[in-house]
Amino acid sequence: MTLVLNTLEPGDYSEQINAIFSGVNSEIEIINTTEMNIAHCIGCNQCWLKTPGVCSIKDDYESIVKKLVNTRNLWIVSDTRFGFIDYRGKKVLDRIMPMLNMYLTFRDGWMRHELRYHALNVGLIYKGNGNHELLEEWCQRTAANLGGRSLGVIALDKDPLPIETSREIVPTDVTSEVTLEKHVVIINGSPRAKKFSNTDKILQSFTKGLEEAKTTYELYSLSNRSEWANARDAFMAHNRIIIALPLFVECAPGTLLEFLETLPTKRERPAQLSFILHGGFQEGHQLRLCEKFLESLPAQFGCVYGGSLVRGGTFMIRVLSEKQNKAILLPYRGMGEYFIEENGFLSPEVKKFSKPEQIPWHFRKFVTILFKTVLKKKFNEFAKEWGCTEPLNSQPYATKKRASLLSYTSRILDRCS
């Protein structure tokens, strides 16, 4: 089956979209998501650790997950902003996490989550000003993480506008030197509630470094929409800004993309815009597509790029004790001082912060054993603490026959390991 999630407004490019699938032989279902109630993923991890395979958000997206269980080919139809899919398109992809489970493995040489059901092939159809090369790489990476292949990227507009003219930005000499304030505006772009946010814990450590460098700061969290207006005002009023974010489905979270679309397009003076990007997997390469996207953002807001601090291996922050997290968080404190000393994250030293780029092939067998023993046990313990009563690889939307087969296979694998 082929499932098409259309996030465009009703009637927008409908004829062209129908024509694309007119010659497809398999069963096709097109769902117009703008007519549905779908919230942003909040990164709570309950679909992995508390109610395996079932999202904690009770809205219309559950009906989509049930269809994905019987789908092999998934197409997303989306408008574009900043050269990437817009927040509506990203929102429906961010919610796809119940299709994976908590356990880790290596697939095609990279760390991946195990598939909960089966592989999904992913394709993208986009409207407007998209960076085609970026979108193709994103589609390939997303499909790979879902165990499938890219179905391709199709532009609905034959002659999209160049990226730099896609928004009505007042011309600014963004190449001129910015006289930086001794004050930093920090925006936490994670959709997860501040209390449970790994990004917030990273920023708590990072800002201690700012304080040691005698620098003041103000911090806003996008998980709290009441802070959006003040965050916008601060973004425009100051000229040293950092946006911190976790990786969500190979790029920025949909919540952050929505916030960016609300920012004013006029700026009286340029600012420096830097980023702190982190992700669950240890490998730096997993974050490079998002880093590439972030590099393109500052110029679209009349800012200069101040670099990106990139690091993986941060998933466990939320579930480890303060003492256990020290090794993960302490380096961010040092980078807070470093950011002020070097006026950004552009020095060669910052590149070393994200190592390793990939787990060396000769270590993967050993790491795989850890995945199947120590880490699997830890995840099961965390799940039990969260009140989970089902196996973490359960298939809540599968047929009874298929679920029974999975349970049997799981028991056999457990005995073997």
Side-chain angles (χ1 to χ4, degrees):
M1 176 181 172
T2 295
L3 183 65
V4 182
L5 300 181
N6 181 12
T7 68
L8 299 180
E9 292 298 325
D12 196 5
Y13 284 89
S14 295
E15 290 185 10
Q16 293 94 321
I17 294 168
N18 290 332
I20 289 171
F21 296 101
S22 61
V24 177
N25 294 325
S26 64
E27 181 186 350
I28 297 171
E29 182 174 359
I30 299 177
I31 298 177
N32 296 311
T33 63
T34 53
E35 300 170 354
M36 304 172 73
N37 174 29
I38 298 176
H40 285 287
C41 174
I42 57 174
C44 66
N45 296 131
Q46 290 195 27
C47 66
W48 284 352
L49 287 167
K50 187 172 183 179
T51 53
V54 179
C55 183
S56 65
I57 302 172
K58 302 307 174 187
D59 61 10
D60 294 339
Y61 198 83
E62 185 176 25
S63 65
I64 292 176
V65 174
K66 290 178 179 178
K67 292 180 185 297
L68 288 172
V69 171
N70 299 306
T71 297
R72 291 290 177 177
N73 299 318
L74 171 65
W75 285 88
I76 304 298
V77 184
S78 176
D79 203 344
T80 49
R81 296 290 186 275
F82 320 114
F84 189 62
I85 61 175
D86 72 355
Y87 81 88
R88 293 179 181 85
K90 192 60 166 55
K91 179 168 61 175
V92 300
L93 257 298
D94 286 350
R95 293 285 299 278
I96 206 169
M97 302 319 293
M99 295 298 290
L100 303 172
N101 72 50
M102 185 71 258
Y103 299 138
L104 301 178
T105 187
F106 282 97
R107 232 178 8 256
D108 55 25
W110 299 97
M111 276 189 180
R112 309 287 189 194
H113 284 281
E114 289 184 1
L115 306 178
R116 188 175 298 280
Y117 298 98
H118 55 254
L120 269 175
N121 303 318
V122 180
L124 174 67
I125 300 169
Y126 70 92
K127 165 191 173 183
N129 176 44
N131 181 331
H132 197 87
E133 182 180 344
L134 183 78
L135 292 172
E136 283 190 329
E137 184 179 349
W138 174 78
C139 197
Q140 289 165 1
R141 283 173 173 258
T142 300
N145 262 330
L146 293 169
R149 60 181 175 81
S150 171
L151 297 169
V153 175
I154 301 172
L156 289 171
D157 295 312
K158 293 182 179 180
D159 299 307
L161 295 171
I163 288 177
E164 55 269 24
T165 61
S166 61
R167 305 185 78 210
E168 295 180 2
I169 300 173
V170 173
T172 308
D173 183 10
V174 296
T175 60
S176 64
E177 185 176 346
V178 180
T179 303
L180 296 170
E181 304 168 358
K182 204 72 172 174
H183 182 78
V184 183
V185 172
I186 304 174
I187 299 173
N188 179 349
S190 172
R192 185 182 291 176
K194 187 175 180 180
K195 179 180 177 181
F196 304 112
S197 171
N198 291 344
T199 310
D200 185 70
K201 291 178 173 60
I202 287 170
L203 290 174
Q204 287 178 29
S205 181
F206 181 81
T207 52
K208 287 179 181 176
L210 294 182
E211 291 168 356
E212 288 167 359
K214 302 188 185 311
T215 300
T216 59
Y217 67 90
E218 52 192 289
L219 173 61
Y220 302 92
S221 297
L222 298 188
S223 60
N224 184 355
R225 286 186 176 253
S226 66
E227 296 186 22
W228 282 33
N230 289 334
R232 279 193 294 269
D233 291 343
F235 184 96
M236 300 304 295
H238 297 277
N239 73 354
R240 180 175 274 189
I241 306 157
I242 297 174
I243 297 178
L245 65 149
L247 188 74
F248 267 45
V249 189
E250 301 302 316
C251 203
T255 302
L256 174 58
L257 295 179
E258 182 178 1
F259 172 77
L260 292 176
E261 290 188 28
T262 72
L263 290 175
T265 58
K266 296 181 179 179
R267 191 172 195 99
E268 293 183 3
R269 56 178 180 144
Q272 181 199 69
L273 179 55
S274 308
F275 302 91
I276 298 175
L277 170 64
H278 68 97
F281 293 133
Q282 293 284 346
E283 301 162 311
H285 177 77
Q286 306 269 10
L287 300 150
R288 296 306 176 200
L289 183 279
C290 186
E291 181 185 23
K292 189 184 300 184
F293 168 69
L294 297 177
E295 288 175 1
S296 71
L297 280 179
Q300 300 188 61
F301 292 101
C303 298
V304 296
Y305 180 56
S308 297
L309 185 65
V310 178
R311 190 164 194 158
T314 59
F315 176 83
M316 301 294 283
I317 291 174
R318 180 181 177 186
V319 294
L320 295 178
S321 67
E322 185 176 341
K323 184 178 180 180
Q324 291 171 318
N325 274 326
K326 191 173 181 180
I328 301 174
L329 295 176
L330 190 58
Y332 283 100
R333 182 171 182 167
M335 294 310 296
E337 288 187 85
Y338 190 85
F339 175 79
I340 299 303
E341 292 170 2
E342 297 294 325
N343 285 327
F345 296 130
L346 290 170
S347 69
E349 190 67 26
V350 174
K351 293 296 181 183
K352 301 176 184 177
F353 194 74
S354 63
K355 290 184 177 180
E357 193 67 9
Q358 183 179 20
I359 300 297
W361 66 269
H362 48 281
F363 283 135
R364 289 177 205 155
K365 187 170 184 179
F366 171 70
V367 175
T368 298
I369 294 172
L370 289 180
F371 286 165
K372 293 182 178 297
T373 55
V374 178
L375 203 57
K376 183 175 182 179
K377 183 180 178 182
K378 277 288 184 184
F379 287 148
N380 289 337
E381 289 173 356
F382 295 147
K384 188 175 181 180
E385 290 173 6
W386 285 22
C388 181
T389 58
E390 298 291 330
L392 295 188
N393 60 355
S394 63
Q395 296 180 322
Y397 302 120
T399 61
K400 290 183 179 180
K401 182 178 180 180
R402 185 171 183 177
S404 176
L405 179 61
L406 173 77
S407 178
Y408 173 76
T409 305
S410 179
R411 290 197 300 272
I412 295 297
L413 291 174
D414 286 341
R415 290 172 187 171
C416 292
S417 57

